[in-house]
Amino acid sequence: MVYLVHFAEKLHHAQHYIGFCENGLVSRFETHRLGKGARILNALKEKGIEYSVVRIWKEGTREFERSLKRRKDSKHLCPICNPNGNQANLIK
Ligand SMILES: [Zn+2]
């Protein structure tokens, strides 16, 4: 599964994080909470910036995660940043 995280505030000009997990989002975020996950999420935690998972591609593979990252336009995938529902729909 591939997921998109939106940060309440920008961190180093970034406001999103795209991640991949195989074992379900709950266990993945448990890992993040314990400080063993992605470095950027640890940085958010240290700065007290709230973040949340705003979109999930259940069938998303690691390959799909990489392709999303290469696009460098996470903002357009985000329902928070695009409240009118014009986010690109890349996968069913
Ligand atoms: Zn966003």
Side-chain angles (χ1 to χ4, degrees):
M1 152 196 311
V2 175
Y3 57 94
L4 174 68
V5 178
H6 171 94
F7 315 153
E9 287 171 49
K10 284 191 180 178
L11 180 75
H12 309 311
H13 303 288
Q15 201 164 8
H16 300 92
Y17 171 76
I18 293 167
F20 169 82
C21 64
E22 291 182 84
N23 302 321
L25 209 56
V26 175
S27 70
R28 182 65 177 146
F29 269 75
E30 203 55 47
T31 307
H32 285 315
R33 258 197 298 281
L34 295 170
K36 294 171 191 162
R39 198 174 294 168
I40 191 163
L41 297 184
N42 287 339
L44 290 172
K45 195 178 155 194
E46 278 165 21
K47 289 181 188 294
I49 298 174
E50 296 286 326
Y51 59 88
S52 49
V53 178
V54 294
R55 200 164 174 194
I56 288 167
W57 293 269
K58 278 187 182 161
E59 310 301 322
T61 59
R62 204 172 267 289
E63 186 55 39
F64 179 67
E65 177 206 11
R66 278 191 218 107
S67 75
L68 286 187
K69 285 182 173 175
R70 273 196 301 270
R71 289 165 59 96
K72 298 189 190 298
D73 67 347
S74 316
K75 199 177 162 182
H76 294 112
L77 300 169
C78 176
I80 304 290
C81 297
N82 295 276
N84 297 325
N86 289 326
Q87 322 108 31
N89 229 341
L90 299 165
I91 195 170
K92 282 132 223 130

